[in-house]
Amino acid sequence: PQARVLFDLGAAAGLVNLDNVALFVGDGPAFDDGLLNNGDFELGSESWLVGVDDSTAAPVVTDADGNQHYSFNVTAAGDPWSVNTSQKVETIEGQVGKVCIDAWSETNRQI
């Protein structure tokens, strides 16, 4: 696969969290990773990378309830792509997809 689902997070300072990431062809089910792997991060950082660096796993934390999710504290706002996470995915020509995600932060921000 040469395509990526990529989230640029560096444009605003503060803690940002991602969970339940899914990519569907068409409408897709309520929650299923769809074309992605480990969209709920319950397998830690498996399949998730820092940016496009295949050798650096994305930072994943476990909260007090035992839920694992991506979490990163952006200490200084900068270029949006300076902090990001991605996963390689195979795309299919002519098919339309939909991305679903749970995201939360301590401040308003764009992803």
Side-chain angles (χ1 to χ4, degrees):
Q2 297 300 314
R4 292 183 186 270
V5 169
L6 184 118
F7 298 98
D8 287 337
L9 309 166
L15 187 65
V16 62
N17 301 282
L18 307 176
D19 201 3
N20 299 326
V21 182
L23 173 63
F24 305 109
V25 173
D27 290 332
F31 182 77
D32 175 324
D33 296 341
L35 300 175
L36 299 178
N37 296 309
N38 191 31
D40 61 5
F41 296 94
E42 293 306 309
L43 298 175
S45 58
E46 182 177 304
S47 301
W48 291 97
L49 309 168
V50 170
V52 295
D53 180 356
D54 289 347
S55 63
T56 305
V60 174
V61 300
T62 303
D63 65 23
D65 296 326
N67 178 52
Q68 292 190 10
H69 60 276
Y70 172 92
S71 185
F72 194 87
N73 188 18
V74 180
T75 57
D79 295 321
W81 60 86
S82 64
V83 176
N84 56 48
T85 190
S86 73
Q87 185 176 132
K88 292 180 179 181
V89 63
E90 186 173 357
T91 57
I92 302 165
E93 182 178 351
Q95 298 217 337
V96 177
K98 175 174 81 171
V99 175
C100 298
I101 182 173
D102 291 339
W104 65 99
S105 179
E106 56 196 15
T107 61
N108 292 333
R109 64 181 311 121
Q110 291 186 354
I111 296 176

